[in-house]
Amino acid sequence: QKEVEQNSGPLSVPEGAIASLNCTYSDRGSQSFFWYRQYSGKSPELIMSIYSNGDKEDGRFTAQLNKASQYVSLLIRDSQPSDSATYLCAVTGTSYDKVIFGPGTSLSVIP
Amino acid sequence: DADVTQTPRNRITKTGKRIMLECSQTKGHDRMYWYRQDPGLGLRLIYYSFDVKDINKGEISDGYSVSRQAQAKFSLSLESAIPNQTALYFCATGSRANTDTQYFGPGTRLTVL
């Protein structure tokens, strides 16, 4: 089992819809969870971080964490074509010394 | 100027050649990382360093070596390049004070023929 898994995609949503991206992780001791966005040919950039169970909202983005289910998700409301990118889920291991990335989910927002 | 720079940005080389990828940062961060990215596999950690005298292997260190020449510089070497090392390589930095965020360089696209 991979340490961090994401829905395989590619995911296509119409402009204005909600995009839902999912991630599961294997290390029960993980404490910090991140979503990075990566445009084609560019480097990843952090868009959300979450540490406690529940929801965290930032503009059109909402991260949801459920540690009991070892599940973290990212919702993008009112999706825009500029949201088209690959979204990487990342998890800090128990020892906090490194971040483990998932394989990414490609999102395409159709105008 | 970019906070994290990588040189070269693109490199084509032949099997068996020695290659060095360089990373420099002006963010003043103590932590530096090297990742490779392959389609469908996400980012995989090669090596990381928490300060000049600290070097740690990541999940795929075989065939690679690193040098932390200064707090601001972290280089990755392929002693004898092979075709399956063809990938996009990213350097990233982070700080002890804020272990959450990693700041990535622009990447180096390496092709080994």
Side-chain angles (χ1 to χ4, degrees):
Chain A
Q1 179 189 7
K2 292 182 180 177
E3 294 187 67
V4 180
E5 300 195 49
Q6 297 183 238
N7 42 341
S8 56
L11 178 65
S12 291
V13 299
E15 184 175 355
I18 296 175
S20 177
L21 304 164
N22 303 317
C23 173
T24 57
Y25 59 95
S26 61
D27 183 353
R28 251 184 205 286
S30 297
Q31 297 294 327
S32 303
F33 308 87
F34 313 96
W35 285 99
Y36 283 78
R37 178 177 61 201
Q38 185 177 23
Y39 291 114
S40 180
K42 302 296 185 182
S43 53
E45 57 176 336
L46 181 70
I47 54 171
M48 290 286 285
S49 57
I50 187 167
Y51 314 102
S52 2
N53 282 329
D55 296 358
K56 178 181 179 182
E57 187 174 318
D58 183 0
R60 295 185 297 110
F61 298 96
T62 299
Q64 300 174 316
L65 174 63
N66 183 326
K67 290 186 178 180
S69 299
Q70 294 173 246
Y71 174 89
V72 58
S73 65
L74 180 70
L75 300 177
I76 307 175
R77 291 183 301 282
D78 188 23
S79 295
Q80 300 297 308
S82 59
D83 295 326
S84 297
T86 295
Y87 289 80
L88 302 169
C89 174
V91 176
T92 301
T94 306
S95 60
Y96 290 95
D97 60 354
K98 55 184 180 287
V99 176
I100 308 299
F101 285 84
T105 298
S106 175
L107 172 67
S108 180
V109 180
I110 311 300
Chain B
D1 287 342
D3 294 320
V4 185
T5 57
Q6 292 182 234
T7 56
R9 295 293 312 280
N10 288 282
R11 182 71 183 268
I12 300 173
T13 191
K14 295 182 178 180
T15 297
K17 294 291 186 181
R18 184 178 187 273
I19 295 297
M20 179 180 285
L21 308 183
E22 298 186 342
C23 177
S24 294
Q25 54 116 345
T26 58
K27 299 187 76 66
H29 287 166
D30 48 353
R31 302 181 174 196
M32 298 187 74
Y33 306 81
W34 275 105
Y35 293 91
R36 67 177 278 177
Q37 187 172 39
D38 301 274
L41 295 179
L43 288 161
R44 292 183 292 167
L45 184 62
I46 306 172
Y47 270 96
Y48 60 104
S49 169
F50 284 175
D51 65 41
V52 175
K53 295 183 179 180
D54 177 77
I55 301 290
N56 304 282
K57 292 183 177 180
E59 59 181 301
I60 54 161
S61 59
D62 288 349
Y64 302 94
S65 62
V66 291
S67 174
R68 185 84 183 262
Q69 301 95 322
Q71 186 185 34
K73 295 184 183 294
F74 192 36
S75 60
L76 175 72
S77 293
L78 288 68
E79 296 301 326
S80 180
I82 56 177
N84 76 1
Q85 290 177 315
T86 294
L88 185 57
Y89 289 84
F90 286 104
C91 173
T93 72
S95 73
R96 190 192 314 264
N98 179 8
T99 55
D100 295 352
T101 306
Q102 297 199 355
Y103 297 86
F104 286 83
T108 295
R109 186 165 296 281
L110 176 66
T111 302
V112 183
L113 301 176

